[in-house]
Amino acid sequence: MVTTHNLGFPRIGARRELKFGLESYWKGQSSIAELQQLGRTLRQQNWADQAALDLAPVGDFSFYDQVLDMSFTLGHLPERVRGFHGEALDNYFRVARGRSTPAAEAHAACCAGVAAGEMTKWFDTNYHYIVPEFTATTEFKLDASRLLEQLAEAQARGVKTKPVIVGPVTYLAIGKSKDGSNRLDLLPRLLPVYAQLLDTLAAQGVEWVQIDEPQLVTELDADWQHAFNTAYHLLKTCKVKLLLATYFGQLQENAYLAANLPVAGLHVDAINDREGVQPLINLLPAHKVLSLGVINGRNIWKTDLTATLDWLEPLAQQLGARLWIAPSCSLLHVPVDLASEQQLDAEIQSWLAFARQKLDELQVLAQALNHGRDAVRAALDANQAALKSRRASPRVNQPAVKLAVSKITRDLGRRESSYAQRAPKQAALLQLPPFPTTTIGSFPQTAEIRQARSDFKAGRLDASAYQAVMQAEIQRAVREQEALGLDVLVHGEAERNDMVEYFGEQLEGYAFSQFGWVQSYGSRCVKPPILFGDIRRPQPMTVAWTRFAQSLTSKPMKGMLTGPVTILNWSFVRDDQPRSESCLQLALAIRQEVLDLEQAGVRVIQIDEAALREGLPLRRTQWKTYLDWAVESFRVSANGVRDETQIHTHMCYSEFNDIMASIAEMDADVITIETSRSDMELLDAFDDFSYPNEIGPGVYDIHSPNLPSEQHMVALMKKAAERVPAERLWVNPDCGLKTRQWPEVIPALKHMVAAAKTLRAELA
Ligand SMILES: CN1c2c(nc(N)[nH]c2=O)NC[C@@H]1CNc1ccc(C(=O)N[C@@H](CCC(=O)N[C@@H](CCC(=O)N[C@@H](CCC(=O)O)C(=O)O)C(=O)O)C(=O)O)cc1
Ligand SMILES: N[C@@H](CCS)C(=O)O
Ligand SMILES: [Zn+2]
């Protein structure tokens, strides 16, 4: 008999209950007891949803982030939050958010505010975790209370559980050394705490523990390979069975290592690495369980159950009871329930599966494997009918779009002239001062803006009233920027629910959900639009708003678009054609928008590629192929403009060094980037490569509630000027300001504009 299990379930709730509960608690509008109760309710709901599984996860629920949970379990708190006198959960939020909750304010005198932990992307997903901070003196001390509490809840409910933890090697690998020490030196100190944790779980009656080691799908040098051996040889004496879980990619050269670690079972991602499964079985010792992730945990299409069974049945014969099946990874990365959707086109809805539906699919597979396909004939037939309808749908395939992509030549992505030739033309037209100031696009998305959009969507506000509210917001943003004395203005993106979903809503070939929320970080969620068919832009998407904004000012107004690679990477995309093909289709649509903006007199156009770096394959050997089509897509979207039109791009992350050449090939006139937290170190990469165009190194860390001082920003820019000629530098924040409040933004930008003036006086 095959065993079914799940690696993790979304914890935000089908109606984002956790988001609202957290934000209410953070605002002091509800108590810690109410928040804890909400946590229990959500966990109970999640276990109810997973009742049919042989093993359901426990410990996957988190009030903010599972990596931060692991840090607390390991007693590994940043120095700056130790000795906090209030509730442990408040201290947890201090690390996550860098500020106190009202409840923790009682301790303001003894436990003042702290810097937030750094956030970064969880492998190649759009989920952000809080980065563990290591130094040579880092110590660990077990605190299993959270896990034991959740375990007891599950056991009381009669759930057949499998606690989930981040494995020790991945935990070290995804953290950062703060003092240049080698994180691997901490392994001997870390492993005894893991051993103690596993034995504590065993004492509570746990048989299996899922220990997540996605680091195994990346290229590992000898030291990290050795760390895997050391870790699991030490943990093998623990009294639980370990299911070592890998996901998001292929084991490749790590297959031998993974197969032979002394654990009871191995989970692999059979969506990303189906070809690797049979060779892995040949390597796997005969006593080990092999869990195959056969349902895609990263996308929302129905699984082809018949094809999956065609592939699985011989493996089931071969492995017998050693075969487990599951989604490929935690379902954290997909929305909760397709059944919530009331407005999705019925045909498209019939092609989809969210978390709850994916578990139903898993059940059908298990039934078919355990009792024969006839036991689930109706479900299999319905599944085949849905897939057939998707394949044959004329809405998916638009020959004219495919033809347009096939006609793309390299020249389409080339500017008329080199940067050196076009820069003086742009300067003459724009008449900007040295160290020009600008912002990245969005201004605060206030509760009023969100409410107006919600009312509009619900029919409580008509289109002209909605337009009036948005125009008033744009007017406010323009007035504020003029008062601040910024040089290149933005309209503020009030009308956008999200920088990707907004475009998805307007492009043909996209569908969008009402409740398809996925956690991005903490309480913040995104609703990735669903790219189901060939992409066409029926009409301009941003021109009217930009034209309106430009009409309010004589300063240059930046057109604001999201680039094709970012739209692709932050959407649920079709799996019936290569990503590169979908990306080029998006590139053609954005190109039309760029040309329409130019035609409307917009002289500066920013095309955000915030997710270009995140989309890099986890293995370096696959980088070139990705970068080739990603950069080409950007170039196609951006570079059809005249010399006089200035193209900006923005990337809000700081690890560029490895891909600098590709960034330069995009040939944007100006790139704005995150650098303030890294103290301008990032610019070393630009310096080494002699990045030829203009750069706006972000000087205002928008993720922090702290007010940046003028002196700090001047100092950062002076560091920048040591690496990049002053005449090619811009002054701007790190990223958009949508998550901040106006009272924070105004003083910060005042300081930024003052910093630019000082720089002009001293350096220009
Ligand atoms: C730059 N970032 C982005 C990423 N991915 C994206 N797809 N988009 C991004 O901008 N990845 C990396 C980072 C992640 N950063 C963020 C930052 C902020 C958010 C965020 O604030 N998300 C919002 C949801 C935004 C949204 O789509 N809002 C909608 C719906 C609003 C709503 O809930 N309305 C209510 C009623 C009104 C109310 O009571 O508030 C309703 O309809 O019931 C909109 O504006 O229309 C969030 O709230 O989490 C995400 C990622
Ligand atoms: N233009 C967007 C970019 C975010 S990465 C914004 O300002 O929010
Ligand atoms: Zn950004």
Side-chain angles (χ1 to χ4, degrees):
M1 296 283 271
V2 64
T3 295
T4 57
H5 73 111
N6 185 23
L7 281 75
F9 199 80
R11 57 236 179 182
I12 202 76
R15 288 285 190 278
R16 291 185 294 161
E17 294 88 336
L18 183 58
K19 171 194 173 63
F20 299 118
L22 283 168
E23 291 177 1
S24 153
Y25 175 65
W26 292 335
K27 281 189 221 145
Q29 292 165 351
S30 55
S31 67
I32 200 162
E34 285 168 296
L35 184 61
Q36 298 281 18
Q37 180 51 42
L38 174 63
R40 280 190 288 275
T41 307
L42 286 168
R43 292 193 287 273
Q44 296 291 341
Q45 178 61 57
N46 287 357
W47 288 320
D49 286 341
Q50 300 177 88
L53 293 171
D54 294 316
L55 283 171
V58 62
D60 56 334
F61 177 85
S62 175
F63 277 120
Y64 202 96
D65 165 44
Q66 73 272 9
V67 177
L68 185 59
D69 288 351
M70 199 65 217
S71 292
F72 271 68
T73 301
L74 297 168
H76 175 214
L77 282 58
E79 191 79 52
R80 60 185 180 279
V81 303
R82 299 216 187 119
F84 179 69
H85 292 98
E87 292 275 355
L89 189 56
D90 284 327
N91 206 22
Y92 172 89
F93 290 139
R94 289 171 87 221
V95 184
R97 308 173 65 234
R99 62 192 117 159
S100 298
T101 56
E105 286 301 317
H107 301 276
C110 50
C111 312
V114 290
E118 186 182 336
M119 271 194 323
T120 198
K121 294 292 170 90
W122 176 240
F123 292 83
D124 59 353
T125 73
N126 195 4
Y127 174 81
H128 308 62
Y129 68 92
I130 305 286
V131 179
E133 300 170 19
F134 301 115
T135 65
T137 57
T138 296
E139 300 282 347
F140 304 96
K141 184 171 184 295
L142 182 65
D143 175 1
S145 53
R146 174 194 58 90
L147 205 49
L148 291 180
E149 196 182 312
Q150 296 184 18
L151 179 65
E153 279 172 33
Q155 288 171 333
R157 197 194 150 90
V159 181
K160 295 155 282 174
T161 54
K162 169 180 51 102
V164 180
I165 57 175
V166 179
V169 183
T170 294
Y171 183 74
L172 288 178
I174 63 172
K176 265 197 183 162
S177 167
K178 290 281 168 180
D179 60 358
S181 58
N182 184 353
R183 287 160 291 164
L184 279 178
D185 292 345
L186 298 174
L187 196 60
R189 258 177 263 166
L190 180 60
L191 292 176
V193 181
Y194 268 88
Q196 205 188 342
L197 171 61
L198 296 177
D199 284 339
T200 305
L201 292 172
Q204 297 304 313
V206 167
E207 183 187 4
W208 282 94
V209 172
Q210 175 187 318
I211 191 155
D212 286 359
E213 291 283 15
Q215 197 64 22
L216 271 165
V217 306
T218 68
E219 283 130 353
L220 300 170
D221 67 20
D223 289 345
W224 286 95
Q225 289 176 17
H226 184 64
F228 271 107
N229 274 315
T230 309
Y232 288 92
H233 277 90
L234 191 134
L235 297 179
K236 77 177 174 197
T237 52
C238 294
K239 300 177 190 73
V240 287
K241 293 180 184 163
L242 291 181
L243 179 73
L244 187 83
T246 70
Y247 40 80
F248 298 151
Q250 300 143 15
L251 287 173
Q252 293 189 6
E253 74 284 358
N254 298 329
Y256 181 85
L257 171 69
N260 288 293
L261 290 172
V263 291
L266 178 64
H267 171 86
V268 293
D269 180 338
I271 299 295
N272 272 300
D273 194 14
R274 186 171 278 197
E275 288 67 38
V277 169
Q278 189 57 58
L280 181 71
I281 293 173
N282 299 338
L283 293 171
L284 202 70
H287 64 276
K288 281 193 190 176
V289 159
L290 180 61
S291 164
L292 296 178
V294 289
I295 307 278
N296 194 337
R298 293 280 295 274
N299 213 333
I300 41 64
W301 305 107
K302 272 189 174 151
T303 310
D304 185 337
L305 296 176
T306 302
T308 304
L309 283 171
D310 289 345
W311 178 72
L312 266 181
E313 279 165 347
L315 300 179
Q317 286 282 326
Q318 204 179 343
L319 292 164
R322 290 167 58 212
L323 176 65
W324 291 17
I325 56 171
S328 56
C329 59
S330 166
L331 296 176
L332 179 67
H333 310 287
V334 293
V336 177
D337 192 5
L338 186 64
S340 303
E341 299 299 324
Q342 293 123 20
Q343 288 170 14
L344 251 176
D345 174 281
E347 189 188 22
I348 294 173
Q349 186 155 348
S350 78
W351 304 339
L352 306 178
F354 291 177
R356 284 183 185 155
Q357 290 68 38
K358 283 175 185 286
L359 293 181
D360 292 342
E361 289 185 334
L362 191 69
Q363 223 44 49
V364 174
L365 290 175
Q367 294 282 320
L369 291 172
N370 289 337
H371 306 293
R373 295 192 195 195
D374 281 345
V376 283
R377 179 58 55 202
L380 292 178
D381 289 348
N383 174 262
Q384 280 308 293
L387 295 172
K388 192 169 158 203
S389 126
R390 182 176 163 210
R391 268 184 226 117
S393 172
R395 300 157 75 185
V396 170
N397 302 299
Q398 305 247 8
V401 176
K402 294 230 158 61
L403 184 66
V405 168
S406 74
K407 287 192 171 153
I408 292 176
T409 59
R410 284 191 77 76
D411 282 347
L412 209 64
R414 301 258 170 301
R415 293 292 293 259
E416 282 170 4
S417 321
S418 68
Y419 167 77
Q421 289 169 294
R422 58 191 199 250
K425 297 186 195 173
Q426 293 166 14
L429 199 70
L430 293 170
Q431 292 291 316
L432 297 172
F435 293 102
T437 53
T438 191
T439 61
I440 304 305
S442 58
F443 274 107
Q445 277 277 331
T446 60
E448 295 72 36
I449 297 178
R450 300 258 199 233
Q451 191 58 54
R453 189 156 35 251
S454 176
D455 289 346
F456 172 49
K457 288 195 173 168
R460 295 186 292 268
L461 203 63
D462 67 23
S464 64
Y466 176 68
Q467 188 185 17
V469 177
M470 294 303 125
Q471 288 189 342
E473 277 298 328
I474 291 171
Q475 217 153 4
R476 173 189 189 176
V478 172
R479 236 182 276 123
E480 296 287 10
Q481 292 172 87
E482 287 201 316
L484 284 160
L486 287 154
D487 299 308
V488 174
L489 310 197
V490 296
H491 78 289
E493 302 180 29
E495 80 289 3
R496 300 184 189 180
N497 45 6
D498 172 72
M499 61 187 279
V500 167
E501 194 182 7
Y502 176 77
F503 290 95
E505 284 179 352
Q506 298 185 75
L507 289 167
E508 253 178 39
Y510 261 107
F512 44 95
S513 64
Q514 278 171 284
F515 303 102
W517 294 101
V518 178
Q519 195 175 6
S520 180
Y521 67 89
S523 70
R524 298 285 179 177
C525 299
V526 293
K527 192 142 57 65
I530 299 164
L531 197 169
F532 69 87
D534 291 331
I535 292 295
R536 221 177 57 83
R537 186 198 70 145
Q539 58 200 23
M541 302 180 282
T542 64
V543 177
W545 297 113
T546 315
R547 209 198 288 264
F548 171 73
Q550 182 68 84
S551 75
L552 304 173
T553 179
S554 55
K555 295 260 177 100
M557 175 61 59
K558 237 187 324 187
M560 191 58 57
L561 303 174
T562 305
V565 187
T566 298
I567 297 184
L568 183 91
N569 282 335
W570 288 348
S571 298
F572 288 123
V573 294
R574 52 196 292 193
D575 54 0
D576 58 348
Q577 71 181 19
R579 292 171 78 84
S580 53
E581 173 81 13
S582 299
C583 201
L584 284 169
Q585 292 183 3
L586 287 164
L588 287 177
I590 298 297
R591 179 186 178 89
Q592 289 172 339
E593 189 72 15
V594 168
L595 297 179
D596 280 351
L597 283 170
E598 183 180 57
Q599 187 70 34
V602 180
R603 288 163 289 163
V604 184
I605 302 171
Q606 178 175 312
I607 306 171
D608 292 324
E609 280 296 16
L612 190 134
R613 172 72 176 73
E614 165 192 317
L616 264 188
L618 294 173
R619 288 176 170 276
R620 276 173 183 264
T621 49
Q622 295 160 9
W623 280 13
K624 184 175 180 321
T625 311
Y626 165 78
L627 286 169
D628 282 351
W629 61 253
V631 169
E632 185 60 14
S633 298
F634 177 86
R635 293 176 64 105
V636 166
S637 72
N639 290 347
V641 293
R642 290 180 294 123
D643 282 355
E644 287 76 7
T645 302
Q646 188 170 74
I647 295 289
H648 290 216
T649 190
H650 160 71
M651 299 183 184
C652 43
Y653 47 77
S654 53
E655 281 163 30
F656 281 108
N657 303 35
D658 297 332
I659 60 165
M660 205 48 239
S662 301
I663 304 284
E665 272 172 37
M666 290 162 69
D667 201 18
D669 297 299
V670 182
I671 181 168
T672 58
I673 46 171
E674 182 204 307
T675 37
S676 64
R677 280 200 191 182
S678 63
D679 208 24
M680 297 286 148
E681 275 168 22
L682 167 66
L683 288 181
D684 292 342
F686 283 78
D687 188 30
D688 291 347
F689 191 80
S690 298
Y691 185 78
N693 307 0
E694 291 158 55
I695 306 171
V699 285
Y700 157 17
D701 174 9
I702 64 92
H703 292 106
S704 163
N706 302 336
L707 177 65
S709 71
E710 180 195 332
Q711 297 88 311
H712 181 62
M713 292 192 264
V714 168
L716 285 175
M717 286 305 297
K718 283 187 175 168
K719 282 194 176 179
E722 286 164 13
R723 294 160 164 92
V724 176
E727 60 275 15
R728 286 204 266 118
L729 284 171
W730 286 62
V731 181
N732 48 262
D734 263 358
C735 188
L737 298 161
K738 63 188 164 199
T739 55
R740 305 250 64 90
Q741 308 288 317
W742 277 108
E744 296 170 309
V745 162
I746 300 288
L749 290 179
K750 265 190 192 149
H751 289 180
M752 194 185 89
V753 172
K757 286 188 180 147
T758 304
L759 291 162
R760 281 169 205 158
E762 292 186 17
L763 298 185

